[in-house]
Amino acid sequence: MDKTLIAVPSNTPGGMDAGIGAHFGHCDLYTLVEVADGQVGEVTTLPNVPHQQGGCMAPVQHLANNGVGVLIAGGMGMRPLMGFNQVGIDVYFGADAPDVRTAVEALLAGRLQRFTPEFTCGGGH
Amino acid sequence: MTEAKRIVIASARQAALEDFTRTLATETGAAVHRVDAAARVPDLVREASPALVVVDGVENGRGLDKTPREVVMDVLAVDAMVHTAVLSPLPGDEFHETYEGLGVLMGLPLEPTREDARKLARALADIFAPPA
């Protein structure tokens, strides 16, 4: 894997040991993990943006504007998933991971599934 | 509102919605594009790049040739950044369940009033407002 920035919706205060936010748009913040050649580099945090009804695309654009290439999420709706696909952010399903570290390690080991419509709130149907 | 220059009204009964549409155009300053067939919505979204598509969910033979949920999905398939509103007879809980995950900006009654148009315009303006 080339150098990329992974975002994980997290509980305060964020970081590798933080719990994962159940719904990406409503999380406290995002833990941003820089990965190069399969190795974890710098870890930072990014505050979330307000998520109003109908404003669910604000977090999508927020992450895209901050250079995120991959998102590990536990839950989201169909529209933001389509938005992430549209802006080129790959989304993986990470609901089973207890913390950011476990989720990122699972991603790097190839154990996470792509976030498909079946995982979305409403199921996409 | 500076970004929402175009709004699409997808309905087979445009005349019945004229008051609502005219008020929405006035309140938003947007150009309104009308389409009366669901099949033409995706192309119009591609061409016009609207900020909002209002989907008429009326049934009983007066509606579009797809369900409003299908039309919303068609809009998102072209551009997930486009906002939608749906004219719907569904009560609150049913509306939420039907459109869960699709990020519909607002549900409105099947006979929307000028005040409904103003409410929708305000909601759209809030989304496009610069961050505090």
Side-chain angles (χ1 to χ4, degrees), chain B residues 13-123:
Chain B
R13 52 177 186 132
Q14 295 285 349
L17 301 180
E18 190 53 35
D19 257 5
F20 166 80
T21 300
R22 199 176 326 113
T23 304
L24 186 61
T26 300
E27 293 291 322
T28 59
V32 172
H33 298 254
R34 294 169 175 79
V35 61
D36 59 5
R40 294 211 296 271
V41 170
D43 283 342
L44 186 53
V45 171
R46 255 179 232 109
E47 290 163 14
S49 297
L52 172 72
V53 176
V54 180
V55 181
D56 186 358
V58 73
E59 296 172 349
N60 298 326
R62 296 185 293 155
L64 298 166
D65 44 352
K66 279 188 173 184
T67 69
R69 193 180 192 284
E70 289 171 333
V71 177
V72 169
M73 288 289 290
D74 284 349
V75 171
L76 299 182
V78 174
D79 187 349
M81 303 300 175
V82 174
H83 298 286
T84 58
V86 178
L87 308 186
S88 175
L90 297 177
D93 287 352
E94 279 186 59
F95 185 93
H96 177 79
E97 188 169 332
T98 300
Y99 296 99
E100 185 178 12
L102 301 187
V104 173
L105 179 59
M106 188 173 290
L108 293 167
L110 289 179
E111 309 300 331
T113 62
R114 293 175 187 173
E115 186 50 39
D116 290 322
R118 293 187 194 103
K119 190 167 72 170
L120 179 56
R122 284 194 295 270

Side-chain angles (χ1 to χ4, degrees), chain A residues 11-122:
Chain A
N11 300 328
T12 302
M16 295 296 274
D17 296 322
I20 295 182
H23 187 103
F24 96 99
H26 296 288
C27 65
D28 296 337
L29 44 80
Y30 300 93
T31 298
L32 300 186
V33 181
E34 192 177 83
V35 171
D37 298 323
Q39 301 297 314
V40 172
E42 187 179 19
V43 179
T44 56
T45 59
L46 177 71
N48 199 0
V49 292
H51 178 178
Q52 321 159 338
Q53 178 65 29
C56 57
M57 303 311 280
V60 174
Q61 291 168 320
H62 182 51
L63 293 179
N65 291 342
N66 280 278
V68 170
V70 173
L71 172 73
I72 301 174
M76 73 172 67
M78 175 66 89
R79 185 184 178 200
L81 177 62
M82 294 170 85
F84 281 121
N85 291 336
Q86 186 171 316
V87 300
I89 293 177
D90 295 328
V91 187
Y92 290 83
F93 182 66
D96 297 331
D99 53 43
V100 173
R101 184 186 313 279
T102 306
V104 171
E105 288 175 352
L107 176 72
L108 296 179
R111 294 197 304 269
L112 292 188
Q113 290 180 272
R114 285 274 187 167
F115 204 115
T116 56
E118 288 70 33
F119 290 124
T120 60
C121 303

